[in-house]
Amino acid sequence: MSTDAGREDRVLERIEAFRRRRPRLLDTVVTLSHGAGGKASAALVDAVFVDAFRNAELEQLGDAAVGVVGSGERLAFSTDSYVVRPLQFPGGSIGHLAVHGTVNDLAVSGARPRWLSAAFVIEEGFEIARLREIVADMANAASGAGVDIVTGDTKVVGKGSADGLYISTAGVGVVPDGRRLGADLVRPGDRVVVSGTLGDHGMAVLLARGELALEADIASDTAPVHRMVEALLAAAPSTRWMRDATRGGVGTVCNELAQATGLAVVLDEAALPIRPVVLGACDLLGIDPLYVANEGRFVAVVAAGEVDAALAAIRGQAGGEAAAVVGEILPEPEGIVALRTAFGGSRIVDMLVGDPLPRIC
């Protein structure tokens, strides 16, 4: 018996060692999977970009970099690009995403967003009227978020070279004194909170492509989250960590947290706030909603003693009405994300592999 038990322990150790290895880049060309936010993305970023640009701030791989300027004030800086297809979809457009995505990256880093830049790559033949619509969406989104678009750039490429329009934005925000968020602050016993329903954006975009014989009343959740974040941090000042669950969804974000902390993230399937229409569409298409992108939702790790105040604060903000506690942090199994299923069992939630929903943001 002891021999069998020892053999089983060694097998489990090898499996665990394999799972905790950093993804290796074995591909010789870039594929769509490298843009999905999962294992392939992590391998590409680590092997190409982090390896070339290596520095202490970059290696944290956060949504924004936080640095101290000469006066001692801390600034957060973030950048992103948007290549969503189609450019307009129920609930929003590439213009909304370009503002909300960067605002949200700053917010979950603990910053108060202030300024954005915007760069446009426009394909020859793109209709000026449509460009005006998308730019108007950006202006409205920026006004609603209380930020200014203060600089930018425009490039035009030949027909067939840009799929219509690509937008890149960068943003700067100010981090209040004494505020710090980080995976190193996360402790066993902490609770995992999501700020609203999951999967709305990814499924809205997928259905808007018209490639599937499926119709459903699903609109993108694209929205700024910084007001919810401020309310959360005021009500629960011991909040440990935050991340907006965009590419790769909540499943991938939780895996990044588990790998960064070496702790277990245990989710409760029954507690996940997923609208029935979204869940139904995911079931029909064979897609796990935990991996579907969101553009107006974040995941937070909150101290157990502050979780009730945190929920009340988020739910008191527009867009946060469906906020829920969906899991907890445990000491083991180390570096693993597990899901307690509705049937009383459990399963491992691994980092996203492949790209079931390309060009979502």
Side-chain angles (χ1 to χ4, degrees), residues 6-361:
R7 184 181 299 111
E8 182 178 345
D9 287 343
R10 289 192 296 274
V11 170
L12 291 174
E13 288 173 2
R14 286 197 296 270
I15 292 173
E16 176 62 12
F18 178 79
R19 290 196 74 258
R20 291 178 63 84
R21 288 191 315 179
R22 294 191 65 85
R24 295 174 57 200
L25 183 63
L26 302 176
D27 304 280
T28 57
V29 298
V30 174
T31 70
L32 284 174
S33 294
H34 291 112
K39 285 188 175 180
S41 295
L44 181 71
V45 169
D46 186 63
V48 177
F49 302 112
V50 173
D51 188 55
F53 305 140
R54 191 173 302 280
N55 60 74
E57 189 62 44
L58 177 64
E59 288 173 4
Q60 296 182 41
L61 296 177
D63 285 319
V66 177
V68 179
V69 295
S71 63
E73 190 172 52
R74 290 187 300 152
L75 296 180
F77 177 57
S78 182
T79 188
D80 214 335
S81 297
Y82 301 87
V83 297
V84 65
R85 181 175 61 85
L87 298 177
Q88 294 163 302
F89 43 83
S93 74
I94 191 174
H96 294 107
L97 294 182
V99 172
H100 296 155
T102 298
V103 165
N104 294 348
D105 282 347
L106 293 169
V108 297
S109 300
R112 293 170 178 162
R114 295 288 299 275
W115 305 286
L116 301 184
S117 70
F120 301 83
V121 177
I122 309 169
E123 183 182 342
E124 177 189 17
F126 196 77
E127 295 180 1
I128 295 294
R130 196 175 185 198
L131 181 61
R132 287 185 187 277
E133 290 178 3
I134 290 170
V135 170
D137 288 342
M138 290 186 70
N140 290 334
S143 176
V147 296
D148 293 319
I149 299 174
V150 294
T151 189
D153 184 48
T154 302
K155 295 290 189 298
V156 177
V157 297
K159 194 170 184 63
S161 300
D163 204 9
L165 174 69
Y166 302 148
I167 302 176
S168 293
T169 50
V172 174
V174 179
V175 182
D177 287 343
R179 179 178 293 180
R180 190 171 85 83
L181 299 167
D184 61 306
L185 301 177
V186 175
R187 298 289 181 267
D190 291 342
R191 301 296 190 263
V192 180
V193 174
V194 296
S195 66
T197 55
L198 307 180
D200 294 11
H201 173 72
M203 296 313 298
V205 172
L206 183 63
L207 297 183
R209 290 175 183 163
E211 299 169 350
L212 305 170
L214 180 64
E215 293 184 5
D217 183 18
I218 303 175
S220 170
D221 58 29
T222 181
V225 302
H226 60 306
R227 294 186 181 92
M228 279 190 281
V229 168
E230 289 295 325
L232 165 63
L233 293 176
S238 296
T239 295
R240 320 295 200 190
W241 173 94
M242 276 188 281
R243 184 67 59 87
D244 59 335
T246 54
R247 293 180 304 165
V250 169
T252 297
V253 164
C254 287
N255 268 277
E256 292 171 349
L257 174 63
Q259 291 173 9
T261 61
L263 299 172
V265 180
V266 181
L267 303 175
D268 185 350
E269 185 176 40
L272 296 172
I274 304 171
R275 294 198 298 140
V277 66
V278 172
L279 185 59
C282 287
D283 285 345
L284 283 172
L285 298 172
I287 296 172
D288 188 336
L290 278 174
Y291 297 118
V292 179
N294 313 271
E295 286 293 343
R297 307 286 186 251
F298 63 86
V299 181
V301 176
V302 178
E306 296 181 345
V307 72
D308 290 338
L311 278 182
I314 298 172
R315 290 172 178 170
Q317 298 292 314
E321 297 83 359
V325 179
V326 298
E328 60 184 325
I329 306 298
L330 297 179
E332 54 184 26
E334 296 179 3
I336 299 293
V337 179
L339 180 72
R340 297 186 184 118
T341 70
F343 299 102
S346 64
R347 66 177 176 88
I348 289 177
V349 178
D350 203 354
M351 185 173 283
L352 176 66
V353 177
D355 189 10
L357 301 170
R359 303 285 297 278
I360 288 297
C361 59

